[in-house]
């Protein structure tokens, strides 16, 4: 029997603070800003996916309802911010 993994996708808001400083958050979860170290910058999507996985795990373990995903075009962004869709599959 073939099983299909559940896919979760939420927008992340990335903010450029300086040339080598960046942070991100998941507005739908009201998560705090997670600052990236210069060493993490090349893997920023992987770091964000890991953070999303931790948020989802917390919600699911505590039996909290998952928030509705905001469309990227509805994110409130300024000129130093970029919205990216982060998608992970349940293992």
């Amino acid at each position: 029997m073939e099983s299909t993994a559940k896919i979760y996708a939420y927008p992340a808001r990335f903010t450029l603070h300086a040339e080598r400083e960046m942070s991100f958050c998941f507005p739908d979860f009201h998560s705090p800003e997670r600052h990236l170290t210069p060493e993490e910058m090349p893997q920023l999507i992987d770091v964000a996916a890991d953070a999303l996985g931790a948020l989802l795990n917390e919600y699911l373990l505590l039996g909290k309802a998952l928030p509705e995903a905001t469309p990227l075009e509805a994110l409130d962004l300024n000129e130093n911010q970029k919205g990216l869709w982060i998608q992970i599959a349940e293992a």
Side-chain angles (χ1 to χ4, degrees), residues 11-15 25 27-28 33 70-83:
R13 182 177 59 225
F14 289 85
T15 304
C25 70
D28 294 324
E33 291 284 322
T70 300
L72 278 178
E73 57 276 358
L75 285 180
D76 185 24
L77 303 172
N78 65 37
E79 67 275 357
N80 294 326
Q81 296 176 323
K82 176 77 175 168

Side-chain angles (χ1 to χ4, degrees), residues 24-33 55:
F24 69 89
C25 70
F26 290 93
D28 294 324
F29 290 92
H30 306 288
S31 69
E33 291 284 322
L55 284 168

Side-chain angles (χ1 to χ4, degrees), residues 17-69:
H17 300 284
E19 189 172 316
R20 297 274 302 159
E21 294 178 32
M22 184 175 269
S23 66
F24 69 89
C25 70
F26 290 93
D28 294 324
F29 290 92
H30 306 288
S31 69
E33 291 284 322
R34 160 71 157 80
H35 289 267
L36 297 164
T37 65
E39 294 76 29
E40 292 174 312
M41 294 290 278
Q43 297 89 24
L44 68 96
I45 300 300
D46 292 336
V47 172
D50 287 346
L52 177 58
L55 284 168
L56 290 167
N57 190 47
E58 177 183 335
Y59 270 65
L60 295 171
L61 286 174
L62 296 175
K64 292 180 170 180
L66 293 175
E68 212 40 58

